[in-house]
Amino acid sequence: MYWIKKFEATLWLVIKVILYVSLLGIFMGILSIENPPILRLSRTMGITLSTFVIVGILFIRVYGTYDVGRRKSKPIIYSLALAVLFTDIITYLQLMIMNTIVPKWNAFRLSSIGALVITYIVQVLVIVVFTYAGNGLFFMLHDPESCCVITSSQESLDCIVRAILKFKKQYRIDYIADYKDKDLHKIIKKADTVFLHDVPAVERSEIIRYCYKKKINIYFNPEIEDIVEMNAQYYLLDDVSVLNANVKAWTMEQRIAKKLLDMSLAIVLGIVTSPIWIVSAIAIKAYDGGHIFFKQKRATLNGRVFEVYKFRTMKENVENRSVTDNDNRITKPGKILRKIRMDELPQLLNILKGDMSFVGPRPEMLENVEAYEEELPEFRYRLRVKAGLTGYAQIAGKYNTTPKDKLIMDMMYIEQFNILKDIQLIFQTFIVLLKSDSTEAFQTGDEEKKYIFHAAENKEEGV
């Protein structure tokens, strides 16, 4: 075990190489049964192999790599399965083009589709085996990290503990402390990792400096100023080091490129999903005879109010509020539509009208915007761009993600915007359809709390 840990970085590199080479080998091996040239030294082999490698690298960067120990098994499987799916399809189409010898467009044929399906099934099985085995090996080598949670209130503690407890194999909460505790350094030294949540900036900086000095891992929730700093560029002003943050509006070129992407995608996706529109409309109408579409006032760029379109998933003439667990307002067709996120499809009409963009912050209900801004005035920064059908907060977050965390995710998108980032987020949207918790509703009651926050007068607090 000692020698495995000593060369652990090399071990994981070898495992990754074996996995990725296996995926390539499966594609080349099975497809070669009906396409022998891809295993002979030829132009077909060279182009097919290079296409798979290059496209595979691009999609792994989009969806995520084989990062066992950092993520749970299912998210890793979803990410790699989607990356391999698109890689297989693009490489397969390239191979079919290479097989078209006659220089006529109508000579193009799609063959070996059955082999492609078998290839993908085998690849997914290999990904599943490697992922579960990899995580099993990682947690056999590593015990959960001893963690100290430093925060400012019971509410903040509940928020961060809820997230940490979903990664019990990675983290073990041993200590909880108020950031004002005079013996805080003594508590920190006992832990491998420190989580800071809702700690004031001055005190947070001091704690981070101390953890860095003692080589203790640090996690902390970002504030708006952190987002600005993260996206700033290093700049030498003569011989003085400074960070330069340009917080101006998007350029005209960026706006034009985004508009063209919005319009083209909305039209194409509208045509492709037209059967879903028809089936959904029939199901909604047949269930209770009510309206097919639901309209609601939402806020978009600069606070402008517009009516968002959705397939109606609730009974008519009911209270307008956020969805909760086991909400009896939701209809049977609505449960299905919400589960697969197809109730959002009519927002393609909002995109064509110019009310929304394909990628951007979620358009919140006006009641929620007003409530959130009372508690968090910075929430209005999300309205610096158009609302979006999808976006970083919609992909990484959940329906019940806190307003502050939604704001941070949206600000990350706004400050890091480029058209390639939009394309990446559009591809990542497919992950939402696989996540079981993406539509997780607001909780209607509080669970019994095991972790208790104590004020700073208690000198040292363990769990």
Side-chain angles (χ1 to χ4, degrees):
M1 192 70 72
Y2 168 78
W3 287 104
I4 293 178
K5 286 188 175 182
K6 192 173 180 65
F7 295 98
E8 187 176 355
T10 303
L11 171 65
W12 291 117
L13 176 61
V14 171
I15 291 175
K16 284 184 180 180
V17 170
I18 293 173
L19 170 60
Y20 296 148
V21 170
S22 297
L23 298 176
L24 170 61
I26 292 167
F27 181 90
M28 301 289 284
I30 297 178
L31 266 296
S32 68
I33 296 174
E34 298 181 23
N35 302 272
I38 65 175
L39 286 187
R40 299 173 187 161
L41 287 177
S42 62
R43 183 179 63 177
T44 300
M45 177 185 179
I47 294 178
T48 302
L49 194 149
S50 59
T51 299
F52 189 96
V53 172
I54 294 171
V55 174
I57 291 172
L58 290 175
F59 277 105
I60 285 174
R61 288 180 62 86
V62 168
Y63 287 111
T65 184
Y66 178 71
D67 48 353
V68 293
R70 294 287 298 179
R71 291 193 293 166
K72 292 185 176 182
S73 295
K74 284 185 179 180
I76 296 174
I77 292 170
Y78 295 157
S79 298
L80 291 179
L82 283 172
V84 169
L85 174 64
F86 287 111
T87 301
D88 283 353
I89 291 173
I90 292 173
T91 309
Y92 166 78
L93 291 175
Q94 166 269 315
L95 178 60
M96 293 303 101
I97 293 172
M98 292 290 294
N99 287 343
T100 306
I101 301 175
V102 181
K104 293 182 179 179
W105 68 268
N106 57 357
F108 178 76
R109 294 287 185 273
L110 293 177
S111 60
S112 308
I113 293 179
L116 179 65
V117 173
I118 294 172
T119 296
Y120 183 65
I121 292 172
V122 175
Q123 287 172 325
V124 171
L125 291 175
V126 169
I127 290 170
V128 170
V129 171
F130 267 77
T131 301
Y132 280 108
N135 263 334
L137 175 61
F138 183 92
F139 294 120
M140 184 175 68
L141 296 173
H142 299 274
D143 294 325
E145 297 176 18
S146 175
C147 298
C148 172
V149 179
I150 303 172
T151 185
S152 56
S153 67
Q154 183 68 51
E155 182 181 3
S156 297
L157 177 64
D158 292 342
C159 182
I160 187 64
V161 165
R162 173 183 57 81
I164 295 173
L165 290 181
K166 293 190 175 183
F167 297 87
K168 292 181 179 179
K169 291 185 177 181
Q170 285 94 332
Y171 311 111
R172 183 184 68 249
I173 302 175
D174 288 331
Y175 308 99
I176 292 172
D178 185 344
Y179 74 93
K180 293 179 286 188
D181 195 318
K182 65 180 182 180
D183 291 328
L184 188 60
H185 287 184
K186 293 181 180 179
I187 304 172
I188 290 175
K189 284 195 295 185
K190 297 178 180 180
D192 302 318
T193 298
V194 168
F195 284 90
L196 304 175
H197 194 71
D198 285 350
V199 175
V202 174
E203 288 80 3
R204 188 186 73 177
S205 296
E206 191 278 327
I207 295 171
I208 289 174
R209 285 174 179 269
Y210 182 77
C211 291
Y212 185 79
K213 176 183 176 181
K214 297 297 181 179
K215 297 183 179 179
I216 296 172
N217 297 331
I218 316 158
Y219 292 86
F220 60 92
N221 64 308
E223 303 291 343
I224 296 298
E225 53 270 24
D226 297 312
I227 302 299
V228 175
E229 181 180 341
M230 287 170 61
N231 295 287
Q233 291 183 325
Y234 176 71
Y235 184 66
L236 266 178
L237 194 65
D238 192 17
D239 61 345
V240 179
S241 294
V242 296
L243 292 175
N244 170 230
N246 288 316
V247 291
K248 299 177 182 178
W250 294 345
T251 65
M252 181 59 68
E253 292 84 356
Q254 287 176 318
R255 293 178 183 276
I256 292 174
K258 190 171 178 64
K259 184 68 175 179
L260 290 174
L261 179 65
D262 288 341
M263 299 301 288
S264 57
L265 276 177
I267 293 172
V268 171
L269 193 58
I271 295 172
V272 171
T273 60
S274 56
I276 299 177
W277 288 63
I278 296 171
V279 172
S280 299
I282 294 173
I284 294 169
K285 198 70 177 177
Y287 181 75
D288 59 10
H291 293 91
I292 294 172
F293 295 109
F294 170 74
K295 299 179 183 179
Q296 189 177 60
K297 293 187 182 300
R298 302 283 179 101
T300 186
L301 178 63
N302 297 324
R304 183 173 68 84
V305 177
F306 74 103
E307 282 192 329
V308 69
Y309 303 131
K310 300 177 74 172
F311 283 124
R312 182 173 61 85
T313 59
M314 294 188 182
K315 301 170 185 176
E316 294 191 299
N317 303 316
V318 292
E319 182 185 359
N320 181 25
R321 54 179 168 79
S322 296
V323 177
T324 59
D325 287 339
N326 302 316
D327 202 317
N328 58 12
R329 296 172 301 161
I330 302 177
T331 63
K332 289 183 179 179
K335 287 181 180 179
I336 299 173
L337 288 171
R338 294 178 72 90
K339 185 70 175 177
I340 62 175
R341 304 297 286 266
M342 290 298 106
D343 59 317
E344 310 279 354
L345 274 179
Q347 289 172 37
L348 294 175
L349 300 175
N350 290 115
I351 294 173
L352 293 173
K353 288 176 61 179
D355 295 328
M356 293 174 60
S357 180
F358 213 95
V359 181
R362 176 185 173 86
E364 290 285 352
M365 294 189 297
L366 299 184
E367 297 86 346
N368 285 352
V369 173
E370 293 172 1
Y372 295 158
E373 287 183 2
E374 284 186 12
E375 179 182 348
L376 190 67
E378 298 92 341
F379 198 76
R380 196 165 188 83
Y381 293 161
R382 301 167 70 254
L383 302 180
R384 290 186 174 184
V385 299
K386 283 184 182 179
L389 175 60
T390 187
Y392 187 46
Q394 293 95 304
I395 294 167
K398 307 172 188 174
Y399 184 80
N400 61 350
T401 298
T402 65
K404 184 173 182 179
D405 285 324
K406 285 181 181 179
L407 171 63
I408 293 298
M409 293 178 194
D410 288 330
M411 291 302 298
M412 287 286 292
Y413 165 72
I414 293 170
E415 294 303 319
Q416 294 180 345
F417 169 77
N418 59 64
I419 203 65
L420 292 178
K421 174 68 72 174
D422 270 21
I423 294 172
Q424 180 183 22
L425 289 171
I426 289 168
F427 275 107
Q428 288 180 346
T429 303
F430 289 100
I431 292 180
V432 178
L433 302 178
L434 301 175
K435 289 168 60 178
S436 60
D437 60 354
S438 63
T439 56
E440 185 174 276
F442 288 94
Q443 301 297 314
T444 55
D446 293 328
E447 297 180 359
E448 184 179 358
K449 299 179 179 67
K450 175 183 176 183
Y451 300 91
I452 308 300
F453 176 81
H454 294 282
E457 49 265 30
N458 295 321
K459 291 185 178 180
E460 189 171 323
E461 295 297 333
V463 177

